[in-house]
Amino acid sequence: MAKKKQTLHQKLNYIQSNLKVEKGRTNSFGKYKYRNLDDIFEALKPLLKETESVITVTDEIIGCNGMNYIKARANFMSENDESMSCSIYSEGWAREPVTRKGMDDSQITGSTSSYARKYALNGLFAIDDTADADREHRAGELSSVQVKKLLEMANKADNLKLVTNKVDDRTINAGNYEASIKKLEGMINGK
């Protein structure tokens, strides 16, 4: 019996519904469970083979305010599509720290790339990360959604560098997030 041809969206839905990536690693310093990029790829490969699909992940380095950001793009394509011209993608972002203890420059970039790629794949394959290492385990820190909103508003208020510095040094945190948003809204509206 011939296998029914599925659309790209049907294949993606199947993978999103069936992909399970446990948080089988433990951070000994922070005492939290997490998954890394290798764990995601390992769980993903059998489903890609089953659906005759492929994934490619690429990086782009973007400079902003003297900092390097890595934008990772995960493209999902199907071998059943003519010339694989149709794809669905998701992007993930991460900022390179200036230094990281015990790492040279190439290791810092590689680590940041892995982080951005992980979040691109999380978005594409609907991998739930609500309790992941860079979210709730650090009480008082801003979520990535909050940081994004702050930076977008700071850019509109022509105050991006100041807000970026305050986010980076944690002067703006979860405790004063709402007040910071209101202050930026006032700057944008000229109040």
Side-chain angles (χ1 to χ4, degrees):
M1 180 177 223
K3 194 175 184 181
K4 183 184 172 198
K5 188 174 179 180
Q6 290 186 312
T7 67
L8 188 64
H9 287 93
Q10 289 170 324
K11 290 179 180 190
L12 179 59
N13 178 268
Y14 178 81
I15 292 174
Q16 288 176 336
S17 300
N18 290 283
L19 180 63
K20 305 288 182 242
V21 189
E22 288 191 38
K23 293 181 181 180
R25 299 173 188 266
T26 303
N27 178 292
S28 57
F29 179 74
K31 307 288 188 234
Y32 56 84
K33 296 273 190 190
Y34 71 99
R35 68 178 69 88
N36 70 14
L37 183 61
D38 292 337
D39 298 330
I40 295 170
F41 279 132
E42 185 177 333
L44 183 58
K45 285 178 183 180
L47 293 169
L48 291 171
K49 184 175 182 176
E50 182 181 345
T51 59
E52 298 178 326
S53 303
V54 295
I55 185 90
T56 60
V57 186
T58 57
D59 292 334
E60 179 181 353
I61 297 176
I62 298 173
C64 180
N65 290 326
M67 302 301 296
N68 288 328
Y69 291 81
I70 307 258
K71 178 175 75 170
R73 181 175 177 148
N75 286 297
F76 176 73
M77 300 164 281
S78 172
E79 292 187 11
N80 287 343
D81 298 328
E82 287 80 36
S83 75
M84 293 164 82
S85 60
C86 181
S87 70
I88 301 170
Y89 72 91
S90 179
E91 295 175 341
W93 289 74
R95 183 179 62 84
E96 276 188 340
V98 176
T99 61
R100 182 174 268 168
K101 189 175 181 175
M103 288 188 174
D104 66 23
D105 290 348
S106 62
Q107 290 171 316
I108 289 171
T109 300
S111 173
T112 307
S113 169
S114 292
Y115 197 80
R117 287 172 173 223
K118 175 182 162 183
Y119 284 96
L121 291 171
N122 284 355
L124 184 61
F125 294 111
I127 300 171
D128 184 14
D129 250 3
T130 55
D132 202 3
D134 50 359
R135 293 257 180 117
E136 323 306 318
H137 83 277
R138 295 182 192 140
E141 285 193 13
L142 298 170
S143 71
S144 59
V145 172
Q146 290 173 317
V147 170
K148 183 178 178 185
K149 184 173 181 179
L150 277 168
L151 295 179
E152 286 172 354
M153 292 182 73
N155 194 36
K156 288 179 186 173
D158 292 325
N159 218 338
L160 185 60
K161 186 172 176 105
L162 177 67
V163 172
T164 301
N165 290 339
K166 288 186 177 195
V167 167
D168 287 346
D169 70 14
R170 294 180 176 75
T171 304
I172 298 177
N173 55 48
N176 61 16
Y177 172 75
E178 292 299 327
S180 299
I181 289 292
K182 286 183 181 182
K183 187 170 186 174
L184 284 169
E185 286 172 344
M187 294 168 95
I188 293 168
N189 297 325
K191 294 179 183 177

